[in-house]
Amino acid sequence: MRKVQTRFCRTCNQPMPCQKSSPNHILHIILSIITGGVWLIFYAFFAILASTHSWRCQKCGTRC
């Protein structure tokens, strides 16, 4: 999933829409139930990976 918020971009020097990726929690919970908890390993990996990504300006692509 992509989250979008208006944040100040230093490159554009104005408030711009910025986006950040995050895992689809509902999908991962369903997959964890179906696989008997084995998918929790992958879910944890994707959640940690998404937490390292920062907000990016949709216009110029730099960090917001």
Side-chain angles (χ1 to χ4, degrees):
M1 284 196 211
R2 298 210 184 265
K3 297 178 183 178
V4 178
Q5 282 185 356
T6 302
R7 292 177 167 241
F8 187 79
C9 177
R10 293 182 200 140
T11 305
C12 300
N13 203 27
Q14 61 184 348
M16 297 296 295
C18 297
Q19 66 182 11
K20 180 179 182 178
S21 296
S22 68
N24 186 339
H25 298 291
I26 303 288
L27 173 66
H28 287 289
I29 290 171
I30 291 170
L31 288 172
S32 296
I33 292 169
I34 291 172
T35 62
V38 175
W39 190 258
L40 288 173
I41 297 166
F42 299 100
Y43 181 30
F45 172 75
F46 290 125
I48 292 169
L49 184 65
S51 70
T52 62
H53 292 263
S54 60
W55 292 93
R56 297 276 178 180
C57 176
Q58 289 183 336
K59 182 178 178 184
C60 66
T62 59
R63 291 184 180 184
C64 293

